């Protein structure tokens, strides 16, 4: 949730959900980590079926007491987000520049369409 100044002077406002000019990308180097999150979700479901939910939570969340209080769907949400590393992309609605987040910081590189020859 922020405001970002585009090089054209337009202020890109990010203070709500469902922004048509905002997106995300996942680097290929982070895809494996995302799949590991799905593996954890599978393991949790197996543990629930085997009536070993609490044991599994202690193994995977350590002494995080809050985890024992979470619903199954909240646990799955946490497991998925734990492994999700995305970067944010904005398209300036004024000049159509693409702003691509660099690392985990609130800094962006900008790209603009090259004219056709
Ligand atoms: Zn712009």
């Amino acid at each position: 949730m922020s405001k970002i100044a585009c090089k054209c002077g337009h202020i890109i406002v990010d203070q709500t959900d469902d922004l048509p000019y905002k997106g995300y990308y996942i680097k290929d180097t982070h895809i494996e980590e995302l799949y590991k999150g799905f593996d954890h979700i599978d393991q949790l479901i197996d543990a629930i079926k085997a009536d070993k939910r609490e044991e599994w939570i202690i193994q995977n969340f350590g002494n995080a007491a809050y985890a024992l209080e979470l619903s199954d769907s909240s646990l799955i949400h946490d497991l998925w987000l734990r492994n999700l590393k995305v970067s944010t992309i904005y398209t300036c609605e004024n000049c159509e520049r693409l702003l691509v987040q660099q690392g985990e910081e609130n800094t962006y590189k900008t790209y603009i369409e090259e004219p056709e020859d």
Side-chain angles (χ1 to χ4, degrees), residues 18 29 33 41 43 47-48 52 87 97 99 104 109 111:
D18 297 323
T29 53
E33 295 171 44
I41 291 167
Q43 293 165 11
I48 291 169
K52 295 182 177 178
S87 298
R97 274 188 176 88
L99 289 80
E104 295 181 14
K109 276 190 179 176
Y111 300 87

Side-chain angles (χ1 to χ4, degrees), residues 6-10 12 91-97 99:
C6 179
K7 289 188 176 186
C8 74
H10 180 71
I12 299 169
T91 304
C92 176
E93 290 187 297
N94 184 51
C95 70
E96 298 188 347
R97 274 188 176 88
L99 289 80

